[in-house]
Amino acid sequence: MDNPSKITEGGVVYSLGQFDGKEVIYEFDKVLIYLNAKGKLFFGKHFKIYQEDSQILFQLCNYFIRDKENCAKHNIDLDKGILLSGPVGCGKTSLMKLLRYIVPLQRPYEIIPSRNVTFSFNHLGYKTIEEFGNGKFYCFDDLGVEPLGRHYGKDCNVMGEVLLSRYELYNQTKGKIKTHATTNLNAEELEERYGNRVRSRMRELFNLIAFDSKTMDKRS
């Protein structure tokens, strides 16, 4: 890739900023134009970036482009992953699917619905927890609303166990292996779902970026 500040989608070249030969100087308004275009290609022509989400997007974009100065202003730790929370339908999953594309040279993460991890556990047992506790980059979607796992008559809070494994991995790799997640739940609900120990590990694993609880449902 000769110029990482330019990305071609559907035959159109989008500029994300200026490339000085060493690094890209991103321009937020250009990144938003690209995300809007990529979203329409990805999700259909009804997709759009909403003006009221610009503050959240600014934080997320700064995290993904690794803008140390702006991240420091928003208390975002570049070694941690992102926990993106907000009400149902506010666009969390869509944004996490799209933001991977503004940094094509960075290692991508796979988006996995949390309920699929539980279903896998129900079939395969603890092998599933090992599998998702491995060295891949993941974004666990809809964290906290997945059912309880059950394998050979034993109940298991599967995602709680996966998060503990991811935390160990995060420590072993000194933050090089990242975990992201989206959730509709607030901090108290997450603690109720996973317990205090997992919740305290989550604080160390994730930067919390939250939509306003009054954000409209964009799917209606």
Side-chain angles (χ1 to χ4, degrees), residues 63 74-84 202-209:
Y63 171 82
H74 290 95
N75 294 318
I76 294 170
D77 185 336
L78 287 168
D79 288 334
K80 295 181 180 183
I82 294 288
L83 176 61
L84 186 58
M202 287 174 76
R203 284 192 195 95
E204 295 179 59
L205 257 184
F206 297 121
N207 295 286
L208 175 62
I209 295 182

Side-chain angles (χ1 to χ4, degrees), residues 7-24:
I7 299 179
T8 304
E9 294 287 354
V12 180
V13 178
Y14 294 91
S15 169
L16 304 185
Q18 306 297 322
F19 182 53
D20 66 4
K22 286 184 182 171
E23 61 178 353
V24 179

Side-chain angles (χ1 to χ4, degrees), residues 51-68:
Q51 181 62 40
E52 61 263 35
D53 297 340
S54 60
Q55 189 56 37
I56 289 266
L57 269 162
F58 186 65
Q59 292 180 52
L60 289 167
C61 286
N62 281 315
Y63 171 82
F64 282 103
I65 66 175
R66 301 187 65 79
D67 183 322
K68 290 179 181 160

Side-chain angles (χ1 to χ4, degrees), residues 20-218:
D20 66 4
K22 286 184 182 171
E23 61 178 353
V24 179
I25 314 302
Y26 287 90
E27 293 172 40
F28 184 54
D29 56 339
K30 291 183 175 178
V31 172
L32 291 187
I33 290 166
Y34 168 70
L35 287 173
N36 201 54
K38 181 69 175 173
K40 286 187 189 319
L41 287 171
F42 216 72
F43 303 114
K45 60 180 185 292
H46 62 280
F47 178 86
K48 71 171 185 172
I49 295 289
Y50 289 81
Q51 181 62 40
E52 61 263 35
D53 297 340
S54 60
Q55 189 56 37
I56 289 266
L57 269 162
F58 186 65
Q59 292 180 52
L60 289 167
C61 286
N62 281 315
Y63 171 82
F64 282 103
I65 66 175
R66 301 187 65 79
D67 183 322
K68 290 179 181 160
E69 199 177 316
N70 275 313
C71 282
K73 280 182 198 165
H74 290 95
N75 294 318
I76 294 170
D77 185 336
L78 287 168
D79 288 334
K80 295 181 180 183
I82 294 288
L83 176 61
L84 186 58
S85 79
V88 171
C90 68
K92 302 179 295 292
T93 307
S94 302
L95 291 184
M96 289 307 283
K97 283 181 175 173
L98 285 178
L99 285 157
R100 300 176 286 188
Y101 294 99
I102 63 172
V103 282
L105 299 180
Q106 279 185 30
R107 186 171 170 185
Y109 49 86
E110 200 177 330
I111 295 182
I112 306 280
S114 295
R115 61 202 293 272
N116 289 11
V117 180
T118 300
F119 294 151
S120 173
F121 174 86
N122 294 346
H123 290 292
L124 303 170
Y126 287 89
K127 181 170 170 256
T128 297
I129 292 166
E130 282 173 38
E131 186 185 313
F132 287 105
N134 71 13
K136 284 188 179 175
F137 282 34
Y138 289 114
C139 175
F140 296 110
D141 195 29
D142 263 348
L143 185 67
V145 293
E146 73 282 351
L148 202 63
R150 193 171 178 83
H151 186 68
Y152 284 116
K154 280 192 173 177
D155 287 342
C156 178
N157 192 330
V158 179
M159 283 309 303
E161 293 298 323
V162 167
L163 289 171
L164 289 174
S165 295
R166 298 296 297 180
Y167 171 75
E168 283 170 25
L169 187 69
Y170 169 79
N171 273 346
Q172 286 162 10
T173 63
K174 296 184 169 55
K176 288 191 172 64
I177 303 288
K178 302 241 185 339
T179 307
H180 306 301
T182 71
T183 186
N184 304 332
L185 306 187
N186 62 31
E188 292 75 31
E189 291 166 328
L190 285 167
E191 186 160 327
E192 195 177 306
R193 182 75 173 79
Y194 296 115
N196 179 263
R197 181 168 168 242
V198 173
R199 175 74 189 116
S200 73
R201 300 290 185 267
M202 287 174 76
R203 284 192 195 95
E204 295 179 59
L205 257 184
F206 297 121
N207 295 286
L208 175 62
I209 295 182
F211 279 88
D212 189 288
S213 58
K214 297 179 185 67
T215 305
M216 67 173 189
D217 188 335
K218 299 177 177 81

